Amino acid sequence: MDSPPPHPSRAAPRSGHPPARPDGLAWLSLALLLAAAAAGLVPPTPRPFPASAPAGEFAAERALVHLREIARAPHPTGSPENAAVRAYLQRELAAAGLAVETQTAPLPFAPETPLVNVLARLPGRDPTGAIALVAHHDSRPARNGDEPPVSCGAGDDGAAVAAILETLRALGTGPPLKNDLLVVITDAEERGLCGARAFLEHPWCAEIDAVLNFEGRGSRGPVLMFETSEPSGWLVAEWAEAAPHPVGASMMAAVYRRMPNDSDFTVFRERGVPGLNFAFIGGYEAYHTALDTVENLDPASVQHHGETMLALARRLGELDLGAPRPAGELVYFDAVGSRLVRHSPAWRWPELALASLLALFATAAALRRGEASLGRLLGGGVAMLAAIAAATALAAGLVAAVLAIVPGARSHTPHDEIFFAALALAAAALVFGLARLADRLVGPRAVDLGWLAGWILLLVATC
């Protein structure tokens, strides 16, 4: 006669480590990678407004009317096309009711070629200071002096210039701002920021209390706030409250400071002027190439440029810019492109301490219960490092394979968001597979705690 099965509470203990299971921090990592893939498929760019939008709103379709004139042809510094763009800007700025002037200076390395900045002022009703909207009107010159230029500069930086003109039109439909608004459309940015450096000698430069610089490094995608001057916590807070779709992170700004890239904003940041730097970077294959045309530019990116610019102009235009400002920085990141989470950097250390203590308690409990050993914990940490290295190698290999196999992939990838989402999914599958393998080799608890230790180390590095 068969004996009854033992009661669960009296079941014999299992030897060895627990069997592999599909839960734990590997699932958390998989969820994060899937979220990255979803973000790549649905970039948080706003819907472009038509020309029939209310007069007080920014409309990408109205801005594109200007952009078709600005980016009609390549217009590098010193060219007849550049002079035509400059004349168009002067007419439009004057028609918007601004006092317009130009600033001329020689190119430092080519004195026979003048650069010409276009400057304009919208006087405030009771100014406590001035804010500046900055963009550049020149397009990329030819890489080889014997060749004609090819970039029409629609994204870099015609979209920002056109957004300034549409922003000024929208501002003109309401009461005057409290503060002065300065428009600084520089020349020769593509020749080494020469126009912005020349503007440092202009008397208006000393009046600026906050600078908002707008750039483009591609043809589509959300407008990122990717660089700040220091200190700028108060400006980040104003941007978070004013912008309808803020996209950016303090980590992004920290990384950018360590890169060799520059824009006109660099000149103001080095001078110590508070400010924020914005750009869209999707469709990077168009950057400085013949693909940088109005036809290839996503109107949603122009809309994001303009609605950010208009919202900040209205908010900063009404502040008491002479009042004392907090001197600190902020830690911030966007939540799906609609809200900005922000807090004081002082909170990072208590957060790190709390996370580290919880990790230590979890590790001590696992050791005490015999669910892991020091050797297995080390194996779990190695498993995490191996998974990250393998996922990185897989992504790099897939990119190299596409560039080698697909004709023209380097110069034209119209669906790069889908491509990067596919890379994230492939990396997620590999990471998950390696985590399951590690479960069987060293035990699920050791893998969990090894991954947890890895996340703590990443948190230490970012702090």
Side-chain angles (χ1 to χ4, degrees), residues 79-105:
S79 66
E81 292 80 10
N82 180 265
V85 169
R86 190 168 63 247
Y88 178 81
L89 297 177
Q90 290 176 267
R91 291 194 302 270
E92 293 299 316
L93 289 168
L98 279 73
V100 185
E101 64 177 77
T102 58
Q103 179 194 16
T104 303

Side-chain angles (χ1 to χ4, degrees), residues 310-352:
L310 178 60
L312 277 170
R314 284 175 169 157
R315 188 172 187 90
L316 299 180
E318 295 298 328
L319 288 182
D320 181 0
L321 296 174
R325 298 291 173 190
E329 299 290 333
L330 287 178
V331 173
Y332 58 92
F333 59 92
D334 63 274
V336 200
S338 59
R339 299 292 299 173
L340 201 76
V341 179
R342 60 191 191 275
H343 60 79
S344 167
W347 281 100
R348 64 190 179 205
W349 303 116
E351 291 168 351
L352 175 60

Side-chain angles (χ1 to χ4, degrees), residues 271-363:
R271 178 58 70 94
V273 181
L276 306 175
N277 203 3
F278 300 86
F280 52 86
I281 62 174
Y284 57 87
E285 68 278 358
Y287 181 60
H288 286 174
T289 73
L291 296 173
D292 193 6
T293 63
V294 179
E295 292 73 23
N296 285 333
L297 183 65
D298 187 352
S301 297
V302 180
Q303 181 69 36
H304 203 179
H305 249 343
E307 68 177 29
T308 302
M309 189 184 297
L310 178 60
L312 277 170
R314 284 175 169 157
R315 188 172 187 90
L316 299 180
E318 295 298 328
L319 288 182
D320 181 0
L321 296 174
R325 298 291 173 190
E329 299 290 333
L330 287 178
V331 173
Y332 58 92
F333 59 92
D334 63 274
V336 200
S338 59
R339 299 292 299 173
L340 201 76
V341 179
R342 60 191 191 275
H343 60 79
S344 167
W347 281 100
R348 64 190 179 205
W349 303 116
E351 291 168 351
L352 175 60
L354 178 60
S356 300
L357 284 174
L358 291 175
L360 286 174
F361 286 147
T363 302

Side-chain angles (χ1 to χ4, degrees), residues 21 33 67 89 97 118 124 128 141 219 255 310 346 363 455:
R21 52 176 172 68
L33 285 167
L67 186 56
L89 297 177
V118 178
T128 61
S219 61
V255 170
L310 178 60
T363 302
W455 285 113

Side-chain angles (χ1 to χ4, degrees), residues 392-406:
T392 302
L394 173 66
L398 289 175
V399 169
V402 168
L403 292 177
I405 296 172
V406 180

Side-chain angles (χ1 to χ4, degrees), residues 10-359:
R10 296 189 295 271
R14 292 173 292 180
S15 61
H17 54 72
R21 52 176 172 68
D23 57 351
L25 289 179
W27 276 104
L28 173 61
S29 302
L30 177 62
L32 292 173
L33 285 167
L34 290 175
L41 286 170
V42 189
T45 47
R47 176 180 59 86
F49 283 14
S52 58
E57 298 292 333
F58 183 96
E61 189 173 337
R62 292 191 286 248
L64 288 173
V65 174
H66 297 299
L67 186 56
R68 291 186 185 98
E69 294 295 327
I70 296 167
R72 183 183 297 273
H75 47 282
T77 298
S79 66
E81 292 80 10
N82 180 265
V85 169
R86 190 168 63 247
Y88 178 81
L89 297 177
Q90 290 176 267
R91 291 194 302 270
E92 293 299 316
L93 289 168
L98 279 73
V100 185
E101 64 177 77
T102 58
Q103 179 194 16
T104 303
L107 281 175
F109 47 84
E112 72 282 359
T113 304
L115 66 87
V116 185
N117 295 332
V118 178
L119 313 176
R121 180 189 291 268
L122 185 63
R125 67 180 187 273
D126 185 20
T128 61
I131 59 175
L133 302 180
V134 181
H136 67 90
H137 66 73
D138 61 309
S139 64
R140 173 76 177 185
R143 296 183 183 275
N144 186 325
D146 298 329
E147 300 173 355
V150 297
S151 174
C152 292
D156 181 25
D157 192 26
V161 177
I164 288 177
L165 296 178
E166 168 64 5
T167 293
L168 293 171
R169 184 211 56 78
L171 289 173
T173 64
L177 298 175
K178 175 184 180 68
N179 297 313
D180 287 353
L181 178 66
L182 305 182
V183 174
V184 182
I185 306 179
T186 65
D187 196 1
E189 190 271 353
E190 301 288 1
R191 304 295 296 271
L193 320 180
C194 294
R197 297 191 192 283
F199 179 71
L200 293 181
E201 307 304 320
H202 195 280
W204 286 8
C205 185
E207 301 180 35
I208 298 176
D209 294 284
V211 60
L212 306 172
N213 187 69
F214 290 82
E215 268 285 359
R217 195 182 188 279
S219 61
R220 62 183 176 273
V223 173
L224 313 174
M225 199 283 283
F226 68 97
E227 185 182 14
T228 65
S229 55
E230 298 177 338
S232 60
W234 71 274
L235 263 180
V236 171
E238 297 297 339
W239 165 59
E241 293 296 325
H245 299 94
V247 181
S250 48
M251 174 64 74
M252 189 183 304
V255 170
Y256 185 81
R257 289 191 193 107
R258 290 158 176 79
M259 296 173 65
N261 306 66
D262 286 311
S263 69
D264 278 343
F265 186 79
T266 304
V267 176
F268 294 97
R269 189 197 69 222
E270 291 174 348
R271 178 58 70 94
V273 181
L276 306 175
N277 203 3
F278 300 86
F280 52 86
I281 62 174
Y284 57 87
E285 68 278 358
Y287 181 60
H288 286 174
T289 73
L291 296 173
D292 193 6
T293 63
V294 179
E295 292 73 23
N296 285 333
L297 183 65
D298 187 352
S301 297
V302 180
Q303 181 69 36
H304 203 179
H305 249 343
E307 68 177 29
T308 302
M309 189 184 297
L310 178 60
L312 277 170
R314 284 175 169 157
R315 188 172 187 90
L316 299 180
E318 295 298 328
L319 288 182
D320 181 0
L321 296 174
R325 298 291 173 190
E329 299 290 333
L330 287 178
V331 173
Y332 58 92
F333 59 92
D334 63 274
V336 200
S338 59
R339 299 292 299 173
L340 201 76
V341 179
R342 60 191 191 275
H343 60 79
S344 167
W347 281 100
R348 64 190 179 205
W349 303 116
E351 291 168 351
L352 175 60
L354 178 60
S356 300
L357 284 174
L358 291 175

Side-chain angles (χ1 to χ4, degrees), residues 25-26 376 380-381 383 435 438-440 442-452:
L25 289 179
R376 287 179 178 172
D439 269 0
R440 292 179 170 82
V442 300
R445 186 64 64 194
V447 171
D448 285 354
L449 294 174
W451 280 77
L452 181 58

